[in-house]
Amino acid sequence: MSKVYVFDHPLIQHKVTLIRSKDTGTKEFRALVDEVAGLMAFEITRDLPLQEVEIQTPVATAKSKVIAGKKLGIVPILRAGLGMVDGFLQLVPAAKVGHVGLYRDPETLKPVEYYVKLPTDVEERDFIVIDPMLATGGSAVEAINSLKTRGAKNIKFMCLIAAPEGVEILQQAHPDVDIYIAALDEKLNDHGYIVPGLGDAGDRLFGTK
Ligand code: PRP
Ligand code: URA
């Protein structure tokens, strides 16, 4: 079974509280999502392999460590996942970015795929799928199916807010995919929204409500 990590760093928790508030407008919401994505990127990359290199400082020769050339790809689930891309890339600027476009059918709550574009060397990359919300879990499961169908092997899933129902569905469907979240909420409501959640992440990010 996959592991679930809740990032409870005070800065992440503080910013998530601001993100949740209905009084936070689009501009601030977008900036905060970006910042939390960066903080989460810092945590999720803790296990990146290092290699030792020799360099010259102005004073002496030194053996020091750099990231071991591991190829990383991030895959935002469109649309709302886009809001986390820049924050992540500020920390890992060399990561390639794939895209999976999905929307939740408002009646069935099932994800509908409308776009997929991944880096060409899918099989050699480690991927992190990113989306602010893990609600029923349908979108995350489908996005990861899409990656696996195209040859991806090592995948993590990162989101801001998750419902227990979505975590369980994702763990059942993809027991090899660890889940990284900033907050684990109480439940889903009858419309498939996370309670207390933050509302509709895409609408709040892009001001479309
Ligand atoms: C939201 C969110 C997730 C999905 C989560 O996207 O960004 O992708 O819902 O719900 P699920 O776990 O029940 O599948 P939405 O479908 O609203 O599309 P958008 O990002 O284009 O707004
Ligand atoms: N998608 C959202 O944007 N918010 C939710 O609470 C659930 C799905």
Side-chain angles (χ1 to χ4, degrees):
M1 188 55 74
S2 65
K3 295 200 181 72
V4 179
Y5 300 91
V6 181
F7 292 145
D8 57 0
H9 190 288
L11 286 175
I12 294 179
Q13 296 309 306
H14 178 84
K15 289 175 196 291
V16 167
T17 300
L18 300 177
I19 286 172
R20 287 183 188 278
S21 169
K22 69 177 177 50
D23 297 326
T24 299
T26 300
K27 182 166 173 262
E28 200 189 346
F29 185 90
R30 206 178 281 151
L32 286 161
V33 168
D34 210 40
E35 287 169 21
V36 173
L39 293 167
M40 292 185 81
F42 183 76
E43 296 281 354
I44 204 170
T45 49
R46 259 180 203 286
D47 61 354
L48 282 183
L50 293 167
Q51 70 184 55
E52 200 168 73
V53 293
E54 194 172 279
I55 51 153
Q56 299 290 331
T57 79
V59 179
T61 301
K63 286 193 182 353
S64 196
K65 288 181 177 154
V66 293
I67 305 230
K70 187 78 185 165
K71 293 180 167 183
L72 198 62
I74 58 169
V75 180
I77 302 179
L78 307 179
R79 290 174 297 173
L82 288 176
M84 299 171 74
V85 171
D86 288 350
F88 199 103
L89 289 179
Q90 281 196 5
L91 267 83
V92 194
K96 292 267 166 68
V97 184
H99 296 86
V100 175
L102 294 172
Y103 69 87
R104 257 191 357 169
D105 183 296
E107 301 294 322
T108 64
L109 300 183
K110 298 277 180 241
V112 181
E113 188 177 283
Y114 58 87
Y115 184 76
V116 181
K117 181 78 181 174
L118 300 177
T120 46
D121 52 354
V122 176
E123 292 180 10
E124 292 149 45
R125 265 176 207 279
D126 288 350
F127 283 99
I128 303 173
V129 175
I130 57 178
D131 192 322
M133 310 303 275
L134 177 64
T136 65
S139 303
V141 168
E142 198 52 39
I144 293 167
N145 282 342
S146 233
L147 262 72
K148 285 187 175 173
T149 304
R150 289 165 176 80
K153 293 187 183 71
N154 292 314
I155 304 171
K156 294 175 177 174
F157 180 80
M158 175 176 130
C159 70
L160 299 186
I161 298 183
E165 295 90 330
V167 170
E168 198 182 326
I169 291 287
L170 181 52
Q171 283 188 304
Q172 277 167 9
H174 295 294
D176 55 318
V177 174
D178 287 340
I179 303 170
Y180 299 80
I181 59 191
L184 181 60
D185 274 13
E186 199 186 318
K187 60 175 182 184
L188 292 178
N189 69 14
D190 293 342
H191 305 288
Y193 274 82
I194 300 176
V195 181
L198 53 73
D200 188 302
D203 282 345
R204 292 196 65 187
L205 269 169
F206 297 109
T208 45
K209 195 146 194 189

